[in-house]
PDB file of all heavy atoms in Angstrom:
ATOM      1  N   SER A  29       0.876  -1.173  -0.017  1.00 94.00           N
ATOM      2  CA  SER A  29       0.000   0.052  -0.074  1.00 94.00           C
ATOM      3  C   SER A  29       0.931   1.271   0.007  1.00 94.00           C
ATOM      4  O   SER A  29       1.964   1.301   0.530  1.00 94.00           O
ATOM      5  CB  SER A  29      -0.969  -0.010   1.173  1.00 94.00           C
ATOM      6  OG  SER A  29      -1.521   1.351   1.450  1.00 94.00           O
ATOM      7  N   THR A  30       0.510   2.303  -0.615  1.00 90.00           N
ATOM      8  CA  THR A  30       1.149   3.599  -0.562  1.00 90.00           C
ATOM      9  C   THR A  30       1.085   4.308   0.735  1.00 90.00           C
ATOM     10  O   THR A  30       1.648   5.364   0.854  1.00 90.00           O
ATOM     11  CB  THR A  30       0.663   4.467  -1.600  1.00 90.00           C
ATOM     12  OG1 THR A  30      -0.773   4.732  -1.464  1.00 90.00           O
ATOM     13  CG2 THR A  30       0.937   3.967  -3.107  1.00 90.00           C
ATOM     14  N   PHE A  31       0.276   3.771   1.639  1.00 90.00           N
ATOM     15  CA  PHE A  31       0.008   4.407   2.887  1.00 90.00           C
ATOM     16  C   PHE A  31       0.857   3.925   4.007  1.00 90.00           C
ATOM     17  O   PHE A  31       1.230   4.599   4.892  1.00 90.00           O
ATOM     18  CB  PHE A  31      -1.463   4.288   3.333  1.00 90.00           C
ATOM     19  CG  PHE A  31      -2.355   4.930   2.343  1.00 90.00           C
ATOM     20  CD1 PHE A  31      -3.171   4.068   1.499  1.00 90.00           C
ATOM     21  CD2 PHE A  31      -2.472   6.289   2.254  1.00 90.00           C
ATOM     22  CE1 PHE A  31      -4.075   4.708   0.699  1.00 90.00           C
ATOM     23  CE2 PHE A  31      -3.382   6.888   1.406  1.00 90.00           C
ATOM     24  CZ  PHE A  31      -4.173   6.116   0.609  1.00 90.00           C
ATOM     25  N   ALA A  32       1.186   2.510   3.908  1.00 93.00           N
ATOM     26  CA  ALA A  32       1.974   1.890   5.097  1.00 93.00           C
ATOM     27  C   ALA A  32       2.329   0.508   4.549  1.00 93.00           C
ATOM     28  O   ALA A  32       1.651  -0.175   3.888  1.00 93.00           O
ATOM     29  CB  ALA A  32       1.193   1.921   6.377  1.00 93.00           C
ATOM     30  N   PRO A  33       3.496   0.072   5.045  1.00 94.00           N
ATOM     31  CA  PRO A  33       3.844  -1.406   4.789  1.00 94.00           C
ATOM     32  C   PRO A  33       2.922  -2.376   5.566  1.00 94.00           C
ATOM     33  O   PRO A  33       2.336  -1.973   6.491  1.00 94.00           O
ATOM     34  CB  PRO A  33       5.275  -1.467   5.318  1.00 94.00           C
ATOM     35  CG  PRO A  33       5.404  -0.529   6.383  1.00 94.00           C
ATOM     36  CD  PRO A  33       4.413   0.668   6.033  1.00 94.00           C
ATOM     37  N   PRO A  34       2.888  -3.596   4.968  1.00 94.00           N
ATOM     38  CA  PRO A  34       2.017  -4.562   5.716  1.00 94.00           C
ATOM     39  C   PRO A  34       2.461  -4.823   7.213  1.00 94.00           C
ATOM     40  O   PRO A  34       3.769  -4.811   7.358  1.00 94.00           O
ATOM     41  CB  PRO A  34       2.190  -5.811   4.944  1.00 94.00           C
ATOM     42  CG  PRO A  34       2.685  -5.423   3.649  1.00 94.00           C
ATOM     43  CD  PRO A  34       3.492  -4.138   3.955  1.00 94.00           C
ATOM     44  N   MET A  35       1.731  -4.911   8.197  1.00 93.00           N
ATOM     45  CA  MET A  35       2.062  -5.140   9.617  1.00 93.00           C
ATOM     46  C   MET A  35       2.734  -6.429   9.707  1.00 93.00           C
ATOM     47  O   MET A  35       3.669  -6.667  10.556  1.00 93.00           O
ATOM     48  CB  MET A  35       0.931  -5.023  10.508  1.00 93.00           C
ATOM     49  CG  MET A  35       0.242  -3.618  10.556  1.00 93.00           C
ATOM     50  SD  MET A  35      -1.157  -3.673  11.654  1.00 93.00           S
ATOM     51  CE  MET A  35      -0.375  -3.876  13.252  1.00 93.00           C
ATOM     52  N   ASN A  36       2.380  -7.530   8.840  1.00 93.00           N
ATOM     53  CA  ASN A  36       2.991  -8.743   9.007  1.00 93.00           C
ATOM     54  C   ASN A  36       3.970  -8.971   7.798  1.00 93.00           C
ATOM     55  O   ASN A  36       4.023 -10.130   7.205  1.00 93.00           O
ATOM     56  CB  ASN A  36       1.873  -9.831   8.972  1.00 93.00           C
ATOM     57  CG  ASN A  36       1.049  -9.727   7.743  1.00 93.00           C
ATOM     58  OD1 ASN A  36       0.935  -8.735   7.007  1.00 93.00           O
ATOM     59  ND2 ASN A  36       0.333 -10.859   7.396  1.00 93.00           N
ATOM     60  N   LEU A  37       4.656  -7.887   7.398  1.00 96.00           N
ATOM     61  CA  LEU A  37       5.563  -8.045   6.242  1.00 96.00           C
ATOM     62  C   LEU A  37       6.610  -9.200   6.506  1.00 96.00           C
ATOM     63  O   LEU A  37       6.791 -10.032   5.490  1.00 96.00           O
ATOM     64  CB  LEU A  37       6.370  -6.773   6.077  1.00 96.00           C
ATOM     65  CG  LEU A  37       7.338  -6.673   4.866  1.00 96.00           C
ATOM     66  CD1 LEU A  37       6.585  -7.014   3.524  1.00 96.00           C
ATOM     67  CD2 LEU A  37       7.981  -5.367   4.839  1.00 96.00           C
ATOM     68  N   SER A  38       7.194  -9.413   7.552  1.00 95.00           N
ATOM     69  CA  SER A  38       8.238 -10.429   7.786  1.00 95.00           C
ATOM     70  C   SER A  38       7.599 -11.831   7.531  1.00 95.00           C
ATOM     71  O   SER A  38       8.137 -12.694   7.015  1.00 95.00           O
ATOM     72  CB  SER A  38       8.696 -10.292   9.162  1.00 95.00           C
ATOM     73  OG  SER A  38       9.530  -9.129   9.337  1.00 95.00           O
ATOM     74  N   GLU A  39       6.249 -11.936   8.139  1.00 95.00           N
ATOM     75  CA  GLU A  39       5.600 -13.203   7.966  1.00 95.00           C
ATOM     76  C   GLU A  39       5.268 -13.610   6.494  1.00 95.00           C
ATOM     77  O   GLU A  39       5.500 -14.581   6.104  1.00 95.00           O
ATOM     78  CB  GLU A  39       4.296 -13.272   8.774  1.00 95.00           C
ATOM     79  CG  GLU A  39       3.504 -14.594   8.723  1.00 95.00           C
ATOM     80  CD  GLU A  39       2.271 -14.451   9.505  1.00 95.00           C
ATOM     81  OE1 GLU A  39       2.043 -13.379  10.179  1.00 95.00           O
ATOM     82  OE2 GLU A  39       1.466 -15.538   9.572  1.00 95.00           O
ATOM     83  N   ILE A  40       4.827 -12.471   5.784  1.00 95.00           N
ATOM     84  CA  ILE A  40       4.545 -12.667   4.294  1.00 95.00           C
ATOM     85  C   ILE A  40       5.845 -13.036   3.536  1.00 95.00           C
ATOM     86  O   ILE A  40       5.834 -14.029   2.704  1.00 95.00           O
ATOM     87  CB  ILE A  40       3.988 -11.450   3.674  1.00 95.00           C
ATOM     88  CG1 ILE A  40       2.583 -11.127   4.369  1.00 95.00           C
ATOM     89  CG2 ILE A  40       3.979 -11.473   2.200  1.00 95.00           C
ATOM     90  CD1 ILE A  40       1.885  -9.890   3.871  1.00 95.00           C
ATOM     91  N   LEU A  41       6.853 -12.370   3.802  1.00 96.00           N
ATOM     92  CA  LEU A  41       8.238 -12.638   3.194  1.00 96.00           C
ATOM     93  C   LEU A  41       8.564 -14.164   3.423  1.00 96.00           C
ATOM     94  O   LEU A  41       9.117 -14.767   2.530  1.00 96.00           O
ATOM     95  CB  LEU A  41       9.191 -11.650   3.690  1.00 96.00           C
ATOM     96  CG  LEU A  41      10.637 -11.886   2.978  1.00 96.00           C
ATOM     97  CD1 LEU A  41      10.528 -11.863   1.506  1.00 96.00           C
ATOM     98  CD2 LEU A  41      11.650 -10.897   3.549  1.00 96.00           C
ATOM     99  N   PHE A  42       8.455 -14.565   4.747  1.00 96.00           N
ATOM    100  CA  PHE A  42       8.662 -15.906   5.061  1.00 96.00           C
ATOM    101  C   PHE A  42       7.936 -16.900   4.185  1.00 96.00           C
ATOM    102  O   PHE A  42       8.512 -17.954   3.622  1.00 96.00           O
ATOM    103  CB  PHE A  42       8.528 -16.200   6.624  1.00 96.00           C
ATOM    104  CG  PHE A  42       8.634 -17.575   6.806  1.00 96.00           C
ATOM    105  CD1 PHE A  42       9.932 -18.114   7.139  1.00 96.00           C
ATOM    106  CD2 PHE A  42       7.572 -18.506   7.188  1.00 96.00           C
ATOM    107  CE1 PHE A  42      10.153 -19.448   7.666  1.00 96.00           C
ATOM    108  CE2 PHE A  42       7.830 -19.704   7.484  1.00 96.00           C
ATOM    109  CZ  PHE A  42       9.090 -20.187   7.822  1.00 96.00           C
ATOM    110  N   GLU A  43       6.670 -16.616   4.005  1.00 96.00           N
ATOM    111  CA  GLU A  43       5.773 -17.537   3.291  1.00 96.00           C
ATOM    112  C   GLU A  43       6.211 -17.567   1.861  1.00 96.00           C
ATOM    113  O   GLU A  43       6.251 -18.645   1.197  1.00 96.00           O
ATOM    114  CB  GLU A  43       4.336 -17.139   3.428  1.00 96.00           C
ATOM    115  CG  GLU A  43       3.758 -17.389   4.787  1.00 96.00           C
ATOM    116  CD  GLU A  43       3.819 -18.828   5.155  1.00 96.00           C
ATOM    117  OE1 GLU A  43       3.791 -19.681   4.395  1.00 96.00           O
ATOM    118  OE2 GLU A  43       3.737 -19.205   6.495  1.00 96.00           O
ATOM    119  N   ILE A  44       6.723 -16.364   1.303  1.00 97.00           N
ATOM    120  CA  ILE A  44       7.056 -16.285  -0.105  1.00 97.00           C
ATOM    121  C   ILE A  44       8.308 -17.249  -0.318  1.00 97.00           C
ATOM    122  O   ILE A  44       8.368 -17.983  -1.228  1.00 97.00           O
ATOM    123  CB  ILE A  44       7.376 -14.818  -0.507  1.00 97.00           C
ATOM    124  CG1 ILE A  44       6.123 -13.938  -0.453  1.00 97.00           C
ATOM    125  CG2 ILE A  44       8.142 -14.801  -1.905  1.00 97.00           C
ATOM    126  CD1 ILE A  44       6.382 -12.498  -0.718  1.00 97.00           C
ATOM    127  N   LYS A  45       9.193 -17.012   0.604  1.00 96.00           N
ATOM    128  CA  LYS A  45      10.442 -17.924   0.458  1.00 96.00           C
ATOM    129  C   LYS A  45      10.226 -19.400   0.690  1.00 96.00           C
ATOM    130  O   LYS A  45      10.723 -20.253  -0.104  1.00 96.00           O
ATOM    131  CB  LYS A  45      11.447 -17.437   1.514  1.00 96.00           C
ATOM    132  CG  LYS A  45      12.072 -16.060   1.281  1.00 96.00           C
ATOM    133  CD  LYS A  45      13.028 -15.568   2.272  1.00 96.00           C
ATOM    134  CE  LYS A  45      13.549 -14.341   2.017  1.00 96.00           C
ATOM    135  NZ  LYS A  45      14.676 -13.897   3.018  1.00 96.00           N
ATOM    136  N   VAL A  46       9.313 -19.761   1.608  1.00 96.00           N
ATOM    137  CA  VAL A  46       8.942 -21.137   1.748  1.00 96.00           C
ATOM    138  C   VAL A  46       8.326 -21.723   0.561  1.00 96.00           C
ATOM    139  O   VAL A  46       8.554 -22.922   0.179  1.00 96.00           O
ATOM    140  CB  VAL A  46       7.964 -21.344   2.971  1.00 96.00           C
ATOM    141  CG1 VAL A  46       7.419 -22.719   3.048  1.00 96.00           C
ATOM    142  CG2 VAL A  46       8.729 -21.055   4.317  1.00 96.00           C
ATOM    143  N   ALA A  47       7.468 -20.914  -0.058  1.00 96.00           N
ATOM    144  CA  ALA A  47       6.882 -21.423  -1.395  1.00 96.00           C
ATOM    145  C   ALA A  47       7.780 -21.495  -2.511  1.00 96.00           C
ATOM    146  O   ALA A  47       7.441 -21.939  -3.602  1.00 96.00           O
ATOM    147  CB  ALA A  47       5.639 -20.458  -1.670  1.00 96.00           C
ATOM    148  N   GLY A  48       9.034 -21.049  -2.407  1.00 97.00           N
ATOM    149  CA  GLY A  48      10.112 -21.066  -3.359  1.00 97.00           C
ATOM    150  C   GLY A  48      10.136 -19.884  -4.388  1.00 97.00           C
ATOM    151  O   GLY A  48      10.774 -20.026  -5.361  1.00 97.00           O
ATOM    152  N   TYR A  49       9.570 -18.724  -4.011  1.00 98.00           N
ATOM    153  CA  TYR A  49       9.523 -17.553  -4.920  1.00 98.00           C
ATOM    154  C   TYR A  49      10.545 -16.596  -4.451  1.00 98.00           C
ATOM    155  O   TYR A  49      10.977 -16.535  -3.307  1.00 98.00           O
ATOM    156  CB  TYR A  49       8.174 -16.929  -4.858  1.00 98.00           C
ATOM    157  CG  TYR A  49       7.063 -17.854  -5.452  1.00 98.00           C
ATOM    158  CD1 TYR A  49       6.040 -18.318  -4.689  1.00 98.00           C
ATOM    159  CD2 TYR A  49       7.041 -18.186  -6.810  1.00 98.00           C
ATOM    160  CE1 TYR A  49       4.965 -19.220  -5.201  1.00 98.00           C
ATOM    161  CE2 TYR A  49       6.038 -19.017  -7.386  1.00 98.00           C
ATOM    162  CZ  TYR A  49       5.124 -19.485  -6.514  1.00 98.00           C
ATOM    163  OH  TYR A  49       4.055 -20.177  -7.063  1.00 98.00           O
ATOM    164  N   ILE A  50      10.955 -15.856  -5.482  1.00 98.00           N
ATOM    165  CA  ILE A  50      11.878 -14.615  -5.223  1.00 98.00           C
ATOM    166  C   ILE A  50      10.932 -13.343  -5.412  1.00 98.00           C
ATOM    167  O   ILE A  50      10.528 -13.074  -6.551  1.00 98.00           O
ATOM    168  CB  ILE A  50      12.938 -14.684  -6.182  1.00 98.00           C
ATOM    169  CG1 ILE A  50      13.838 -15.833  -5.995  1.00 98.00           C
ATOM    170  CG2 ILE A  50      13.886 -13.348  -5.965  1.00 98.00           C
ATOM    171  CD1 ILE A  50      14.969 -16.095  -7.053  1.00 98.00           C
ATOM    172  N   PRO A  51      10.828 -12.659  -4.350  1.00 98.00           N
ATOM    173  CA  PRO A  51       9.941 -11.408  -4.421  1.00 98.00           C
ATOM    174  C   PRO A  51      10.641 -10.207  -5.131  1.00 98.00           C
ATOM    175  O   PRO A  51      11.763  -9.767  -4.690  1.00 98.00           O
ATOM    176  CB  PRO A  51       9.550 -11.158  -2.988  1.00 98.00           C
ATOM    177  CG  PRO A  51      10.755 -11.623  -2.195  1.00 98.00           C
ATOM    178  CD  PRO A  51      11.291 -12.791  -2.859  1.00 98.00           C
ATOM    179  N   ILE A  52      10.029  -9.685  -6.096  1.00 98.00           N
ATOM    180  CA  ILE A  52      10.585  -8.379  -6.724  1.00 98.00           C
ATOM    181  C   ILE A  52       9.571  -7.262  -6.251  1.00 98.00           C
ATOM    182  O   ILE A  52       8.328  -7.338  -6.615  1.00 98.00           O
ATOM    183  CB  ILE A  52      10.622  -8.515  -8.240  1.00 98.00           C
ATOM    184  CG1 ILE A  52      11.491  -9.566  -8.644  1.00 98.00           C
ATOM    185  CG2 ILE A  52      11.076  -7.059  -8.767  1.00 98.00           C
ATOM    186  CD1 ILE A  52      11.490  -9.746 -10.212  1.00 98.00           C
ATOM    187  N   LEU A  53       9.991  -6.365  -5.424  1.00 98.00           N
ATOM    188  CA  LEU A  53       9.173  -5.194  -4.996  1.00 98.00           C
ATOM    189  C   LEU A  53       8.979  -4.220  -5.949  1.00 98.00           C
ATOM    190  O   LEU A  53       9.978  -3.570  -6.451  1.00 98.00           O
ATOM    191  CB  LEU A  53       9.805  -4.630  -3.710  1.00 98.00           C
ATOM    192  CG  LEU A  53       8.970  -3.541  -3.060  1.00 98.00           C
ATOM    193  CD1 LEU A  53       7.577  -4.068  -2.560  1.00 98.00           C
ATOM    194  CD2 LEU A  53       9.738  -2.916  -1.962  1.00 98.00           C
ATOM    195  N   ALA A  54       7.875  -4.035  -6.444  1.00 98.00           N
ATOM    196  CA  ALA A  54       7.467  -2.945  -7.465  1.00 98.00           C
ATOM    197  C   ALA A  54       7.755  -1.609  -6.969  1.00 98.00           C
ATOM    198  O   ALA A  54       7.338  -1.273  -5.791  1.00 98.00           O
ATOM    199  CB  ALA A  54       6.076  -3.080  -7.954  1.00 98.00           C
ATOM    200  N   HIS A  55       8.220  -0.763  -7.766  1.00 98.00           N
ATOM    201  CA  HIS A  55       8.431   0.700  -7.502  1.00 98.00           C
ATOM    202  C   HIS A  55       8.734   1.079  -6.010  1.00 98.00           C
ATOM    203  O   HIS A  55       8.036   1.903  -5.463  1.00 98.00           O
ATOM    204  CB  HIS A  55       7.273   1.408  -7.983  1.00 98.00           C
ATOM    205  CG  HIS A  55       5.907   0.954  -7.758  1.00 98.00           C
ATOM    206  ND1 HIS A  55       5.413   0.795  -6.459  1.00 98.00           N
ATOM    207  CD2 HIS A  55       4.901   0.485  -8.616  1.00 98.00           C
ATOM    208  CE1 HIS A  55       4.150   0.365  -6.497  1.00 98.00           C
ATOM    209  NE2 HIS A  55       3.916   0.192  -7.953  1.00 98.00           N
ATOM    210  N   PRO A  56       9.805   0.558  -5.465  1.00 98.00           N
ATOM    211  CA  PRO A  56      10.101   0.939  -4.021  1.00 98.00           C
ATOM    212  C   PRO A  56      10.369   2.381  -3.864  1.00 98.00           C
ATOM    213  O   PRO A  56      10.071   2.949  -2.710  1.00 98.00           O
ATOM    214  CB  PRO A  56      11.352   0.201  -3.818  1.00 98.00           C
ATOM    215  CG  PRO A  56      12.052  -0.083  -5.155  1.00 98.00           C
ATOM    216  CD  PRO A  56      10.922  -0.213  -6.044  1.00 98.00           C
ATOM    217  N   GLU A  57      10.762   3.245  -4.859  1.00 98.00           N
ATOM    218  CA  GLU A  57      10.961   4.662  -4.866  1.00 98.00           C
ATOM    219  C   GLU A  57       9.664   5.292  -4.452  1.00 98.00           C
ATOM    220  O   GLU A  57       9.743   6.506  -4.022  1.00 98.00           O
ATOM    221  CB  GLU A  57      11.610   5.171  -6.141  1.00 98.00           C
ATOM    222  CG  GLU A  57      10.760   5.186  -7.301  1.00 98.00           C
ATOM    223  CD  GLU A  57      10.617   3.831  -8.102  1.00 98.00           C
ATOM    224  OE1 GLU A  57      11.127   2.716  -7.526  1.00 98.00           O
ATOM    225  OE2 GLU A  57       9.807   3.778  -8.948  1.00 98.00           O
TER     226      GLU A  57
END
């Protein structure tokens, strides 16, 4: 969201990695 990062960002990232994916963060700037 452009308003705030996910409160459970670390948990989401963990699930992404467990599922075998590499996350590309769109437009971090």
Side-chain angles (χ1 to χ4, degrees):
S29 164
T30 56
F31 301 106
M35 294 182 63
N36 59 338
L37 180 59
S38 296
E39 183 180 356
I40 292 175
L41 179 58
F42 175 78
E43 294 297 337
I44 290 173
K45 291 180 176 180
V46 167
Y49 295 112
I50 300 173
I52 302 174
L53 182 62
H55 43 65
E57 71 279 1

